[in-house]
Amino acid sequence: SRFNFANFHSNTLIKQSKDFRKTRIVRIFKIYVRITIMDKVSYQVQNGTTLPLFIKPKCGQDSAEFLTEWIAENKELLKQKILEYGAVLFRGFKVNEAIEFERAVKQIEPELSKEYRGTSPRKLLPGTEYVFTASELPPFFPIPQHLEMSFLSSPPRNIYFCCLEEPVGPGGETTLCDFKKVCDDMDASVRQKFEDKGVMIIRNYNKKWSLFNDPTQLKSWQEVFDTEKKEDVEEECRRTYQDFTWKKNDGLRLVGKCDAFENHPITGDRIWFNHLLVFHWFMISDEFYRIYKRLGSLKYLLLSWIMWFAKLFFLNILGPKNCGTHTCYGDGTEITNAENKHVRDITWKNMIFNRWKKGDLIMIDNYRISHGRQPYAGKRKIVVSWSEPYLRPSLRQVEQ
């Protein structure tokens, strides 16, 4: 039989037309779903601030499952928002369990990290792989502003918090501060001094607690590195640009020198990037005094005095470089109280005090936005996860 080219051509065109219509319908449906999902949330910032960006549910779509789906569908948009605002806070969604928080965060950050070399005690939550308590420090103890693990060569790129139980009394805020603004607002002469000298971060760890341990030493080196083997500690220190010295009674000193500022890995903005506000003897009494000025509670004024005399006691016995933690200039000279106060004044001027609500989930650019904790009384349950380590831009240039 003869091949009928006309019929073949006609059938082919019909099939292609059907395939085109099917593909077009699928595309239109996907666009519709994406627009529909995006339309079910609202965006807003607080009056007078740009930090954080709030994303809230619309039309009753407030389940943890919907939030997880929304993040998965809008991952790239969300990354842009975090870059633009520095932090994005989801409010009004029913995130009630740690595992729901983990599922939601893994939509934007599939590779979370368990590695924690920070000084604040934390516990892994049962039933999760990457969700920890934010801090096991006593509620009355404030945590000053800091970028998570910025004293290391490779801090996490982003950090995530979730409120499973909101504080009912005053305090308990996880405060935020834009460290780009801290850099921009710094006095030119002070900034230049930090630019020229950099900073030296000193951490001292003892194997066992004793009466003469500095109270800012919250862990042993075995707890920090999760090992009893000194060779494992030494290997990690070499890998992460930390000088180590073994001291008597099985103690360990870690010294890291780094730039006081970093360029943001994407925007290139100059960022105040170190742990001075936490790792300095001046810290705790000054922090309590500022909280007293803000809240007017004499309890914090008393704690400020107590901590001041306690730190003077340990300074006289140990010296600043033998305290639990300390920060000085990169050449070993001390940062003056006036310079220290100047940085703290700028930080407190730019701090955002946002009250937690149950179910809040916040995503923070850890290379720009610092976080801290205000003291509180009563119940409060905040959990945390963080991304994989990200080598500091200044060290990337060295390695290249």
Side-chain angles (χ1 to χ4, degrees), residues 17-256:
S17 177
K18 286 180 179 179
D19 290 343
F20 175 76
R21 287 198 299 270
K22 187 186 294 183
T23 304
R24 189 176 182 186
I25 290 170
V26 169
R27 279 183 189 162
I28 291 171
F29 178 73
K30 285 182 177 179
I31 293 170
Y32 170 76
V33 169
R34 191 170 287 114
I35 291 173
T36 303
I37 290 176
M38 289 178 64
D39 192 47
K40 290 181 179 178
V41 300
S42 64
Y43 303 88
Q44 64 184 75
V45 293
Q46 292 178 324
N47 291 334
T49 69
T50 58
L51 178 68
L53 173 69
F54 285 84
I55 299 181
K56 299 181 179 182
K58 292 166 65 176
C59 308
Q61 297 285 354
D62 60 356
S63 68
E65 292 78 13
F66 171 80
L67 176 60
T68 301
E69 180 186 356
W70 189 94
I71 293 172
E73 287 285 339
N74 297 278
K75 180 166 57 178
E76 295 307 315
L77 171 68
L78 187 52
K79 287 179 179 179
Q80 292 173 12
K81 295 296 183 185
I82 295 171
L83 184 64
E84 179 182 355
Y85 290 90
V88 171
L89 192 153
F90 293 93
R91 171 161 289 176
F93 296 93
K94 295 177 180 177
V95 184
N96 297 319
E97 303 293 337
I99 190 63
E100 294 174 333
F101 166 60
E102 184 174 80
R103 288 192 196 112
V105 168
K106 289 188 80 172
Q107 303 308 308
I108 191 172
E109 196 78 61
E111 300 297 328
L112 294 170
S113 176
K114 292 180 182 178
E115 186 174 288
Y116 179 59
R117 298 296 182 253
T119 54
S120 184
R122 285 176 176 167
K123 293 180 181 178
L124 181 67
L125 270 68
T128 71
E129 291 185 82
Y130 302 101
V131 181
F132 293 77
T133 56
S135 176
E136 294 294 314
L137 287 174
F140 75 89
F141 201 89
I143 302 175
Q145 295 302 120
H146 62 285
L147 301 168
E148 187 72 10
M149 293 185 260
S150 69
F151 52 89
L152 299 179
S153 59
S154 299
R157 180 66 184 82
N158 294 312
I159 188 166
Y160 310 92
F161 292 97
C162 184
C163 177
L164 300 182
E165 186 172 1
E166 65 186 75
V168 293
E173 299 95 341
T174 295
T175 47
L176 303 177
C177 179
D178 189 340
F179 270 15
K180 177 184 181 301
K181 290 184 178 179
V182 172
C183 176
D184 293 343
D185 291 351
M186 197 172 293
D187 179 82
S189 62
V190 175
R191 176 174 171 173
Q192 192 59 52
K193 193 172 179 182
F194 277 110
E195 289 276 15
D196 293 341
K197 294 190 172 189
V199 293
M200 180 189 294
I201 304 291
I202 302 169
R203 293 180 288 155
N204 290 289
Y205 298 104
N206 295 322
K207 185 171 183 179
K208 295 181 180 178
W209 187 88
S210 76
L211 181 63
F212 294 100
N213 276 11
D214 182 347
T216 59
Q217 183 197 304
L218 304 171
K219 294 179 178 179
S220 65
W221 60 261
Q222 289 89 342
E223 291 171 309
V224 171
F225 290 95
D226 194 26
T227 184
E228 293 281 341
K229 298 179 180 179
K230 290 185 177 181
E231 55 268 29
D232 291 345
V233 175
E234 293 173 4
E235 181 181 350
E236 179 167 332
C237 288
R238 293 188 188 100
R239 178 174 57 84
T240 56
Y241 302 93
Q242 296 179 86
D243 295 330
F244 60 88
T245 304
W246 294 106
K247 305 192 298 181
K248 64 180 182 179
N249 298 323
D250 216 10
L252 173 66
R253 172 179 291 168
L254 301 176
V255 177

Side-chain angles (χ1 to χ4, degrees), residues 235-283:
E235 181 181 350
E236 179 167 332
C237 288
R238 293 188 188 100
R239 178 174 57 84
T240 56
Y241 302 93
Q242 296 179 86
D243 295 330
F244 60 88
T245 304
W246 294 106
K247 305 192 298 181
K248 64 180 182 179
N249 298 323
D250 216 10
L252 173 66
R253 172 179 291 168
L254 301 176
V255 177
K257 296 180 182 180
C258 57
D259 292 344
F261 304 88
E262 279 289 348
N263 292 332
H264 190 278
I266 298 177
T267 67
D269 292 332
R270 203 68 172 146
I271 309 294
W272 174 248
F273 203 96
N274 62 80
H275 245 60
L276 170 64
L277 297 173
V278 181
F279 290 172
H280 195 276
W281 69 268
F282 190 79
M283 173 271 292

Side-chain angles (χ1 to χ4, degrees), residues 1-5:
S1 58
R2 289 185 175 181
F3 177 73
N4 192 325
F5 181 80

